């Protein structure tokens, strides 16, 4: 099913019109980006979720533009075909237009990202989308549960459960489309709401916890691989249990180091016999240290 061709914002629009589902995942490093790109993933998001998944913070708030750029550069080095979208982190665009343009521009200029993503649809956000698109920087929107607003939303909560809230989500998605966004992420909204929005906007919707009738799906790769285990949202399907696999591998490595099974001869380098003989003669008057006498008394 891998698509393996260069993906642009126009490709995604074409996929929506022909009903081809868009496959999106997150990556924060070179090796993961390479795996996703080679598997034919359409969109690779350098998500600000990296604050939690890669850096161990409790929310996405702490990650800085410079940290995001560091990861975005690593990702784009590993990508040949996928469309790379970089998240604009918390307070890197919400202050004013100049700040938003400068920071979005850095992702394209310094990290070779193809597009940026920002959350919400306030008047300022919509103006920013319009300006960035006018400057040639494609923008992905993000509605529903928007992690940068977690405290205002009262936690990790499904959004758009009432008709009024759902209607507001639709109006916001339409406003993002009018502002020029090429796509919009719908996070944690009832599947019927995501479907109704998907049918009423002309740009692709990418769902996460939003049912299977969006134009595409995205997950945090570390969730899908079972590598990030601090918590598992209801909408995550685990396709592997890497935390367990990695734990087993590390335990086995420790066992082999301690038993001197690792490294074996084929994992070691040889020295020519005559060189070894010469070295031993050079070391003839060098006493061998008695390692058992090296241990110091505990303080
Ligand atoms: O930061 C992220 O990983 C995201 C996805 C969950 C959509 O925004």
């Amino acid at each position: 099913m891998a698509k393996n061709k260069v993906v642009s914002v126009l490709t995604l629009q074409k996929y929506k019109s022909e009903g081809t589902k868009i496959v999106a995942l997150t990556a924060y490093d070179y090796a993961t980006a390479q795996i996703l790109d080679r598997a034919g993933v359409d969109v690779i998001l350098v998500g600000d979720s990296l604050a939690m998944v890669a850096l161990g913070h409790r929310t996405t708030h702490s990650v800085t533009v410079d940290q995001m750029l560091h990861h975005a550069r690593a990702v784009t080095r590993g990508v040949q075909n996928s469309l790379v979208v970089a998240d604009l982190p918390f307070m890197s665009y919400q202050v004013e237009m100049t700040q938003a343009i400068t920071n979005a521009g850095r992702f394209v200029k310094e990290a070779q990202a193809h597009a940026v993503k920002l959350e919400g649809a306030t008047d300022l956000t919509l103006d920013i989308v319009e300006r960035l698109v006018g400057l040639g920087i494609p923008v992905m929107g993000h509605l529903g549960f928007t992690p940068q607003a977690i405290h205002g939303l009262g936690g990790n909560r499904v959004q758009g459960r009432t008709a009024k809230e759902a209607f507001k989500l639709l109006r916001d998605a339409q406003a993002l489309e009018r502002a020029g966004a090429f796509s919009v992420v719908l996070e944690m909204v009832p599947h019927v709401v995501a479907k109704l929005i998907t049918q009423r906007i002309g740009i692709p919707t990418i769902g996460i916890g939003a049912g299977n009738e969006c134009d595409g799906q995205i997950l945090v790769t570390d969730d899908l691989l079972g590598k990030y285990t601090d918590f598992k949202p209801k909408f995550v399907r685990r396709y592997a249990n890497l935390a367990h696999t990695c734990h087993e591998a590390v335990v086995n490595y420790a066992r082999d180091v301690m038993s001197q099974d690792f490294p074996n001869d084929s994992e070691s380098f040889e020295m020519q016999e005559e060189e070894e003989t010469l070295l031993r003669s050079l070391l003839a008057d060098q006493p061998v240290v008695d390692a058992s006498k090296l241990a110091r008394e505990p303080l």
Side-chain angles (χ1 to χ4, degrees):
M1 279 286 279
K3 296 174 190 148
N4 276 328
K5 62 179 186 119
V6 175
V7 178
S8 74
V9 295
L10 299 181
T11 319
L12 303 186
Q13 191 61 50
K14 178 168 159 278
Y15 285 169
K16 175 165 177 119
S17 61
E18 65 190 25
T20 304
K21 293 293 179 191
I22 296 164
V23 180
L25 281 172
T26 60
Y28 318 128
D29 63 80
Y30 173 78
T32 307
Q34 250 185 355
I35 292 169
L36 304 190
D37 183 66
R38 289 174 182 167
V41 169
D42 298 307
V43 177
I44 298 181
L45 173 70
V46 187
D48 59 358
S49 53
L50 77 81
M52 301 167 75
V53 177
L55 305 180
H57 294 293
R58 280 172 187 239
T59 68
T60 59
H61 293 135
S62 321
V63 70
T64 65
V65 170
D66 285 330
Q67 288 167 336
M68 288 293 298
L69 280 166
H70 177 70
H71 288 270
R73 283 187 205 105
V75 167
T76 55
R77 280 182 215 123
V79 168
Q80 291 185 350
N81 294 322
S82 310
L83 184 85
V84 178
V85 181
D87 253 338
L88 292 180
F90 182 60
M91 285 303 150
S92 70
Y93 60 95
Q94 289 96 333
V95 180
E96 45 113 12
M97 184 65 76
T98 315
Q99 179 213 30
I101 295 174
T102 306
N103 285 327
R106 290 189 70 193
F107 281 95
V108 177
K109 200 179 169 88
E110 297 176 34
Q112 285 76 51
H114 303 120
V116 296
K117 174 164 84 58
L118 43 72
E119 297 184 4
T122 62
D123 288 347
L124 176 61
T125 310
L126 294 169
D127 284 350
I128 291 167
V129 174
E130 205 170 325
R131 280 291 294 279
L132 293 180
V133 172
L135 291 167
I137 302 177
V139 182
M140 179 181 269
H142 187 152
L143 297 174
F145 174 67
T146 44
Q148 293 177 9
I150 186 168
H151 299 316
L153 297 174
N156 259 314
R157 298 162 69 96
V158 177
Q159 303 296 308
R161 278 201 198 267
T162 66
K164 196 172 160 200
E165 282 171 12
F167 190 64
K168 162 94 169 64
L169 277 180
L170 170 65
R171 299 304 296 266
D172 286 351
Q174 289 170 331
L176 281 167
E177 178 181 6
R178 274 196 305 278
F182 72 91
S183 168
V184 59
V185 167
L186 298 177
E187 179 162 355
M188 285 176 71
V189 300
H191 61 89
V192 65
V193 174
K195 176 181 175 179
L196 293 171
I197 294 174
T198 300
Q199 291 170 336
R200 282 165 179 76
I201 60 173
I203 54 173
T205 57
I206 313 282
I208 174 163
N212 66 8
E213 305 226 37
C214 293
D215 297 304
Q217 297 293 329
I218 186 162
L219 279 178
V220 169
T221 300
D222 295 63
D223 284 339
L224 169 147
L225 296 176
K227 194 167 163 228
Y228 179 72
T229 54
D230 281 7
F231 63 90
K232 178 186 165 302
K234 170 185 161 80
F235 56 78
V236 166
R237 186 182 294 181
R238 284 202 175 136
Y239 287 82
N241 190 347
L242 281 201
H244 178 74
T245 308
C246 294
H247 177 84
E248 292 285 289
V250 172
V251 166
N252 290 342
Y253 166 72
R255 179 201 60 206
D256 291 350
V257 167
M258 297 208 287
S259 68
Q260 274 187 281
D261 179 72
F262 176 82
N264 61 25
D265 285 352
S266 72
E267 291 154 340
S268 307
F269 301 101
E270 303 297 334
M271 184 184 214
Q272 285 188 341
E273 217 176 301
E274 55 271 32
E275 291 298 329
E276 183 180 341
T277 311
L278 181 57
L279 177 61
R280 286 186 185 283
S281 69
L282 290 171
L283 295 178
D285 58 352
Q286 301 275 329
V288 173
V289 170
D290 182 353
S292 67
K293 302 230 166 68
L294 294 177
R296 282 199 257 153
E297 291 298 311
L299 294 175

